[in-house]
Amino acid sequence: MISLKKLPNGFEYIDIKNNSAEAKIALNGAHVFHYKRVGEEPVLWLSEKTEFEEGTSIRGGIPICWPWFGINEDKNLPAHGFARNSKFKIIKQDEINKDMSSVTFKLENKEYELSLHVEVGAKLKLELKTTNIDTKPFKITQAFHTYFNVSDILHVEIDGLNNKPYLDALTMKQEKQNGSITFKEEVDRVYQEVDTTIVLKDANRTLHVENFGSSSAVIWNPWIDKCKRMSLAKNDMREDAYKEFVCIESANAFDDFIVLEPNESHTLKAIIY
Ligand code: BG6
């Protein structure tokens, strides 16, 4: 079943339920803020303090960072782009079979067309397609900024990035991954040359993230101090929320940017299971 729901403040989202899974996707940001397979814990972390309000990004789920990832050179522009604060239109909904449903969202203006196709089943599939409909080249960086729900950050191990180079965003130094990633402090890294499945091992389950159309992946956990600062500044998460999530972001970031010539398209795709 796919239904359009509205909160008392007018905030709209799509509610999906089928035999394999359920999901909720806000029109604001085409933001998947809930995904759960039948009989399992939610895959995505969602802050209980987030405000569901048009024009404001939800804290948790899968914010779409687009058409830039991170801070813009122009400090007046919002971090991670404007897509996550923009209202998308629904252009297609499909109950594919008992176990799979899909919805496609669109955001457009004179320069670009951006569509997000979401397939909800035993796997969650996301396809973010950018088309340049302008007469000049269009440069983008982007990410699915996925917040994974974990039992305890201290029990988390991330595999699949061994030997990969990364930019440590805390020191701005280039490093190389040695073994699995574990968390004992703030981690904010942009991995490069990513070409294999990323594996998230938690105490009681293992999740996989497959990426296509991208060769970078961001691994982020704010840890104690930054989480406290963010909690105070934005009031959209508890100050100890860092214990419950890790972000594995499927990205085209920094050197892995995309330049689209007029009429060209690029699709960033992630499969989560
Ligand atoms: C991550 C960045 O992708 O997003 C972090 O690597 C940043 O540096 C985080 O703090 C959250 O950003 P925001 O804008 O959603 O608070």
Side-chain angles (χ1 to χ4, degrees):
M1 203 175 62
I2 303 176
S3 35
L4 178 66
K5 299 210 166 148
K6 212 181 226 185
L7 298 180
N9 66 357
F11 187 91
E12 292 179 299
Y13 67 95
I14 291 280
D15 193 62
I16 298 176
K17 281 195 178 69
N18 58 41
N19 285 358
S20 292
E22 59 183 47
K24 291 179 182 165
I25 311 166
L27 272 66
N28 187 83
H31 193 136
V32 182
F33 62 94
H34 173 67
Y35 170 64
K36 179 183 170 308
R37 299 189 293 197
V38 169
E40 295 185 17
E41 288 294 307
V43 169
L44 303 176
W45 178 80
L46 176 67
S47 169
E48 72 275 9
K49 291 189 79 178
T50 200
E51 298 283 347
F52 292 97
E53 257 177 56
E54 278 190 20
T56 307
S57 181
I58 294 166
R59 179 66 64 194
I62 313 183
I64 291 178
C65 304
W66 187 97
W68 60 86
F69 174 82
I71 309 293
N72 195 287
E73 287 160 21
D74 180 348
K75 298 279 175 295
N76 295 319
L77 294 173
H80 291 325
F82 53 81
R84 63 179 179 165
N85 304 326
S86 303
K87 187 149 183 194
F88 284 60
K89 286 184 186 141
I90 302 165
I91 53 165
K92 197 164 179 247
Q93 346 185 342
D94 198 359
E95 317 258 11
I96 302 167
N97 56 44
K98 295 198 303 303
D99 297 293
M100 209 187 286
S101 323
S102 74
V103 183
T104 309
F105 301 86
K106 196 174 199 174
L107 183 71
E108 59 189 331
N109 78 1
K110 292 197 298 296
E111 293 157 5
Y112 59 79
E113 260 177 34
L114 178 68
S115 69
L116 179 76
H117 181 70
V118 186
E119 224 172 82
V120 177
K123 295 182 177 185
L124 178 67
K125 296 186 194 166
L126 302 169
E127 282 182 25
L128 186 68
K129 183 177 175 187
T130 307
T131 305
N132 181 359
I133 55 171
D134 202 0
T135 49
K136 53 182 193 301
F138 185 50
K139 181 181 167 185
I140 54 167
T141 52
Q142 58 182 352
F144 293 127
H145 193 306
T146 311
Y147 287 78
F148 286 94
N149 181 29
V150 298
S151 63
D152 182 335
I153 191 68
L154 293 172
H155 297 150
V156 167
E157 191 178 296
I158 295 176
D159 286 333
L161 296 168
N162 189 24
N163 284 326
K164 297 295 180 198
Y166 69 83
L167 174 75
D168 188 328
L170 302 174
T171 59
M172 289 317 269
K173 282 196 185 137
Q174 265 303 125
E175 309 279 356
K176 190 173 178 188
Q177 183 61 35
N178 180 13
S180 306
I181 305 166
T182 52
F183 299 84
K184 290 181 280 312
E185 59 193 347
E186 182 178 354
V187 169
D188 195 345
R189 302 176 185 165
V190 186
Y191 284 84
Q192 299 136 4
E193 300 171 21
V194 178
D195 52 3
T196 48
T197 303
I198 302 175
V199 183
L200 167 58
K201 291 185 182 157
D202 191 5
N204 297 314
R205 83 170 156 191
T206 300
L207 293 166
H208 302 82
V209 185
E210 283 178 30
N211 298 320
F212 305 88
S214 110
S215 64
S216 40
V218 181
I219 305 293
W220 179 62
N221 181 283
W223 211 249
I224 301 167
D225 292 346
K226 182 161 178 178
C227 194
K228 231 179 240 175
R229 288 200 303 275
M230 289 177 69
S231 171
L232 281 173
K234 304 192 180 177
N235 198 29
D236 61 357
M237 63 172 159
R238 288 194 337 264
E239 60 174 48
D240 62 350
Y242 74 95
K243 294 177 183 170
E244 303 166 355
F245 71 81
V246 64
C247 288
I248 303 177
E249 309 172 31
S250 314
N252 293 108
F254 296 95
D255 291 348
D256 180 25
F257 58 81
I258 305 289
V259 177
L260 295 172
E261 295 300 328
N263 297 316
E264 268 186 358
S265 297
H266 173 80
T267 301
L268 170 68
K269 180 172 173 184
I271 306 181
I272 295 168
Y273 55 98

